[in-house]
Amino acid sequence: MKAKGYVTKRGDTWHYLVQDRYGKYVLIDNTNDWRKIFDSCYFDTAAVRRIEGAGHKLSNSYMQLVNKAAGL
């Protein structure tokens, strides 16, 4: 299974989420309009696929990185 990207809308805000091959969310964003969110999702999903294709694994999920930055 390869990395997957999802674009969703909650209220008036567009979001994208990228999952690695293990189902862990590794990239998330909601800071742009639909076109930029869609493009970012596409390119970030491709980046995660390249990382995994080279035999590497992203060790932390997005939420783990956020919690670490917040000191939680």
Side-chain angles (χ1 to χ4, degrees):
M1 180 184 197
K2 293 182 180 180
K4 292 183 180 181
Y6 301 95
V7 175
T8 62
K9 185 176 184 183
R10 294 184 202 129
D12 292 332
T13 305
W14 288 96
H15 301 261
Y16 79 86
L17 304 105
V18 177
Q19 284 182 315
D20 66 6
R21 71 174 67 190
Y22 307 102
K24 177 176 51 182
Y25 290 106
V26 292
L27 299 168
I28 298 172
D29 196 4
N30 69 339
T31 57
N32 289 305
D33 61 35
W34 180 85
R35 181 75 248 176
K36 291 178 183 174
I37 286 289
F38 183 82
D39 290 343
S40 295
C41 182
Y42 178 82
F43 290 116
D44 285 354
T45 301
V48 172
R49 287 180 179 174
R50 283 193 304 272
I51 290 166
E52 292 178 338
H56 301 288
K57 180 180 177 185
L58 298 169
S59 59
N60 292 316
S61 71
Y62 175 81
M63 287 311 297
Q64 288 171 324
L65 293 171
V66 168
N67 289 337
K68 185 176 181 181
L72 301 175

